[in-house]
Amino acid sequence: MTEHPTSHEGRQPLAARSQERTRPRQRDAASAPAAAAKAIPTPAKGPGPAAAGPGPAAGPDPQAAARREGDRLRFVGAATRRIARGIDLDEIVLGLCRASVPTFSDAILVYLRDPLPVGDERPVNPFVLRLRRSDRLRLSDEITEGMSESERLRPAAIDPQTDLTPAAELCEVSPGGALAEVLRGVRPVFGDSAAARAALPELLGAGRTVPSGHRAILAPLRGRRRVIGAAVFLRGTERPPFEANDLLVAAQLATHTALGIDKAVLYGREAYIADELQRTMLPDSLPQPTGVRLASRYLPAAETARVGGDWYDAIPLPGSRVALVVGDVMGHSMTSAAIMGQLRTTAQTLAGLDLPPQEVLHHLDEQAQRLGSDRMATCLYAVYDPVAHRITIANAGHPPPVLLHLGGRAEVLRVPPGAPIGVGGVDFEAVELDAPAGATLLLYTDGLVESRLRDVWTGIEQLRERLATTARLTGPDHSPPLEALCDDVLDMLGPGDRDDDIALLAARFDGIAPSDVAYWFLEPEDSAPGRARRLARRALSRWGLDDMSDSVELLVSEVVTNAVRYAERPVTLRLLRTDILRCEVGDDSPQLPRQRRARDMDEGGRGLFLVNRLARRWGATRLSTGKVVWFEMPTRGQ
């Protein structure tokens, strides 16, 4: 429960304010309570907003009554507008409190259902109300001048006998009880009515009372389908009690508040679903493939439009290669995000088949056409080979990547633009380019370089200049830190540049030196496993890893033996030394090996069992020309 001091400036009628200016200011602490009472005007004195609660002193004057009704209508209009300005739950409840205190009441308590039901959900938990917020009148700075601290903090309009602070935090509404009956009736009731006298102790807690007379209103908060809470409006003894028309005012405030809360809860649920959908569509973390370092960023177009069609991915491939993907589906809706998820899943499946980049885009184009005639997307698919220090890129209507060289030169790669995915009937072209060690490749979506203030090519040139400037700051012999480089790229966005969501994928090419690679062809014959053991022993001796020879030779022999059994063409054997030792054995048989438990009398079937026990990781990948079985072993540093 929170309290916020509320200023009552502007509530006083003009006549009362003009009279107060003619009287000398009372700075004596003893006169402070009287000043506080005068600061809460009676509605009959003028046309101020406080006329929303007139008392009997107004008399039968029809003009005064018409004036009070006009003030009441103006107050309701201003209060409902203030409530409607809120977007989330706290803003709406705060709007109700600030609109009510001190203009309509001296204090307010707002209870909401816990948990709040969403949409058509049928609550299964007990009907529990939790005190969400309270607010009450405090003395202004002008009146409290000269008071002590204790006098300054004392409530100005609530009697000590009726002080509701702290009220009960939780209230379980008993089915068929007095509070349940009032809430079911929906209409606000005075606190001294028979129904409210039985319901308020259940809501506020045992021993809590409210001011006598028409000085309390209990207003149920009903949303579109059910009661979601209750509000209690209170007036002290120093201002007129509520009138019958004030029940209509309380009903208006409660209705607008409840409908706003309903919308806020629905919006919160939609935002949660959108965030979860977007999060699951994008990778939780990037892989750490050999020979390349990766970093990524994703920014939604706005807080109110968190779902888009931009995505990025990094997919390890056989031979220590890695596929780098970035794409952009047209639109910013749940449908766009769903289509993005399907295209991303398709790209991962196609990458697992080790298809060339242009073939991947061709199959993505076919998949987009199957999803619908208006499903358009752009995509850039690149495959980096750290051994050959080459990168192969195919583009489907996407902005070209930017390559930042080690010396600080940034260039926009000349990649054929191609047609967007979903057009159909077009061919995609791939280009192969150098990927020197130390260079950084930046893949991005058009939200980074295009906005209402600049065209895409102007944005690409600004991106290139920004990368070159950042690289010059780190010197010609050092590449800028990858994470800091991504942040610096996003800092180039200025006001008005966030028209679209942004996906960013940066790849730092470290490569694998030729001296750390050993590659052989083995004929598919019985002597191949023995020759593979000898070649592996020599390579390990050359790298100073003799202590690993026994275990590596055993695993190489088992994997090569399995490959020779089914191969018809030469078997490939490759060893890669980085921070780990990786062995890859390829053959032309598409059948992937599966680990199984050998029986006691079986002569074979234990090779993969040994690989699984001795290697840190192992796996098998099907290629268009066969398969590759690989395993990794930690080196001494590991």
Side-chain angles (χ1 to χ4, degrees):
M1 181 178 70
T2 58
E3 290 188 359
H4 291 265
T6 306
S7 173
H8 54 268
E9 182 180 353
R11 176 175 57 81
Q12 198 167 0
L14 296 176
R17 290 202 300 270
S18 62
Q19 293 175 9
E20 183 175 313
R21 283 195 297 269
T22 63
R23 294 194 294 267
R25 179 179 301 176
Q26 300 295 330
R27 301 179 182 273
D28 190 354
S31 64
K38 293 175 182 179
I40 305 174
T42 60
K45 289 185 179 181
D61 185 359
Q63 293 184 353
R67 217 169 25 246
R68 290 196 301 274
E69 291 304 317
D71 291 340
R72 183 180 285 111
L73 291 176
R74 282 189 290 272
F75 163 72
V76 170
T80 53
R81 285 194 299 271
R82 183 166 191 171
I83 295 170
R85 283 199 298 265
I87 296 178
D88 61 21
L89 186 63
D90 291 331
E91 289 179 348
I92 294 171
V93 175
L94 177 61
L96 171 64
C97 293
R98 294 295 171 84
S100 303
V101 179
T103 308
F104 180 67
S105 64
D106 295 329
I108 184 175
L109 302 172
V110 182
Y111 284 84
L112 294 182
R113 194 162 187 163
D114 186 24
L116 279 168
V118 181
D120 296 332
E121 291 182 357
R122 296 184 62 86
V124 296
N125 298 323
F127 192 166
V128 176
L129 294 178
R130 179 183 293 274
L131 182 60
R132 184 77 184 195
R133 190 180 188 90
S134 69
D135 210 349
R136 59 181 193 167
L137 178 66
R138 289 186 182 278
L139 299 178
S140 67
D141 293 338
E142 181 178 340
I143 296 174
T144 58
E145 186 175 355
M147 289 186 179
S148 65
E149 185 68 18
S150 59
E151 291 174 326
R152 188 180 296 113
L153 296 177
R154 184 176 59 84
I158 302 298
D159 296 334
Q161 295 82 6
T162 60
D163 188 5
L164 300 176
T165 305
E169 290 283 346
L170 286 176
C171 165
E172 183 171 346
V173 181
S174 303
L179 181 58
E181 290 298 324
V182 173
L183 296 179
R184 188 179 299 113
V186 178
R187 297 178 182 274
V189 295
F190 285 121
D192 60 350
S193 64
R197 283 199 303 269
L200 283 173
E202 182 181 349
L203 176 65
L204 304 178
R208 302 295 176 182
T209 60
V210 296
S212 59
H214 286 7
R215 299 185 179 278
I217 293 178
L218 174 58
L221 302 178
R222 179 176 176 84
R224 290 172 178 81
R225 299 184 180 275
R226 58 184 64 86
V227 174
I228 60 175
V232 181
F233 301 93
L234 300 167
R235 280 187 181 176
T237 57
E238 298 184 5
R239 70 186 296 178
F242 292 110
E243 290 184 337
N245 286 341
D246 290 324
L247 292 178
L248 301 178
V249 175
Q252 287 283 339
L253 298 179
T255 299
H256 281 79
T257 301
L259 294 178
I261 290 173
D262 253 3
K263 290 188 294 184
V265 172
L266 288 172
Y267 172 77
R269 172 62 61 88
E270 182 179 350
Y272 171 78
I273 294 174
D275 286 342
E276 286 296 303
L277 179 61
Q278 189 70 53
R279 184 185 62 81
T280 55
M281 293 300 181
L282 295 175
D284 291 333
S285 60
L286 293 173
Q288 299 297 326
T290 302
V292 61
R293 285 173 285 168
L294 303 172
S296 63
R297 295 290 187 274
Y298 175 81
L299 292 179
E303 289 296 321
T304 55
R306 305 180 70 89
V307 178
D310 292 15
W311 90 91
Y312 61 88
D313 216 340
I315 310 167
L317 300 177
S320 298
R321 295 170 300 148
V322 59
L324 308 173
V325 191
V326 65
D328 184 2
V329 178
M330 179 179 62
H332 304 90
S333 63
M334 293 286 190
T335 303
S336 301
I339 295 172
M340 177 265 285
Q342 295 182 66
L343 294 180
R344 178 176 177 240
T345 301
T346 303
Q348 290 177 328
T349 304
L350 296 171
L353 299 177
D354 200 25
L355 297 178
Q358 64 272 24
E359 290 296 322
V360 172
L361 295 184
H362 175 74
H363 289 293
L364 285 176
D365 180 58
E366 292 180 338
Q367 175 67 9
Q369 294 177 67
R370 284 190 289 267
L371 296 176
S373 58
D374 58 343
R375 308 309 187 193
M376 304 285 291
T378 63
C379 183
L380 192 143
Y381 188 94
V383 175
Y384 170 63
D385 188 342
V387 176
H389 295 269
R390 304 280 287 177
I391 186 167
T392 305
I393 306 174
N395 191 10
H398 204 79
V402 179
L403 184 65
L404 177 63
H405 292 268
L406 183 59
R409 181 173 63 91
E411 63 170 328
V412 180
L413 297 182
R414 296 183 178 181
V415 180
I421 291 172
V423 173
V426 296
D427 292 330
F428 298 99
E429 182 180 353
V431 294
E432 188 175 348
L433 304 171
D434 287 329
T440 304
L441 183 70
L442 203 70
L443 308 181
Y444 53 90
T445 55
D446 58 356
L448 180 65
V449 295
E450 186 179 22
S451 69
R452 294 189 301 269
L453 305 179
R454 60 184 179 185
D455 62 84
V456 62
W457 289 107
T458 301
I460 292 175
E461 180 61 23
Q462 292 178 356
L463 173 62
R464 188 195 66 80
E465 293 176 354
R466 186 61 176 260
L467 290 173
T469 302
T470 303
R472 284 195 293 269
L473 294 176
T474 59
D477 299 329
H478 300 86
S479 299
L482 204 55
E483 296 290 342
L485 180 65
C486 291
D487 293 334
D488 191 66
V489 166
L490 295 180
D491 286 343
M492 67 178 281
L493 297 172
D497 287 348
R498 291 284 301 280
D499 299 331
D500 197 359
D501 45 341
I502 299 171
L504 178 66
L505 180 62
R508 174 71 45 77
F509 300 143
D510 293 332
I512 300 176
S515 58
D516 293 327
V517 181
Y519 191 84
W520 305 278
F521 286 96
L522 305 173
E523 292 296 329
E525 53 191 25
D526 294 341
S527 60
R531 182 166 181 258
R533 289 194 297 270
R534 292 190 298 271
L535 294 173
R537 187 187 310 116
R538 294 172 187 170
L540 294 175
S541 177
R542 186 170 65 251
W543 292 333
L545 301 176
D546 299 272
D547 56 332
M548 301 178 59
S549 293
D550 293 339
S551 55
V552 171
E553 287 182 39
L554 175 60
L555 299 188
V556 166
S557 177
E558 294 294 341
V559 176
V560 171
T561 299
N562 189 72
V564 169
R565 182 178 303 172
Y566 303 102
E568 297 181 357
R569 297 179 181 177
V571 175
T572 60
L573 171 62
R574 184 165 74 168
L575 296 179
L576 301 174
R577 183 191 65 166
T578 55
D579 53 342
I580 59 173
L581 180 68
R582 181 182 175 97
C583 174
E584 299 172 348
V585 177
D587 61 75
D588 59 348
S589 174
Q591 182 178 358
L592 298 181
R594 292 287 183 265
Q595 183 180 352
R596 64 183 179 87
R597 182 174 297 277
R599 292 173 297 182
D600 294 339
M601 303 301 296
D602 290 343
E603 295 183 359
R606 297 176 177 82
L608 291 181
F609 177 78
L610 293 174
V611 174
N612 185 63
R613 291 298 300 269
L614 297 179
R616 189 176 74 170
R617 290 195 312 154
W618 75 279
T621 306
R622 183 178 285 112
L623 308 177
S624 57
T625 57
K627 68 175 181 294
V628 169
V629 180
W630 56 269
F631 64 86
E632 294 176 351
M633 300 283 290
T635 58
R636 279 193 300 265
Q638 303 293 312

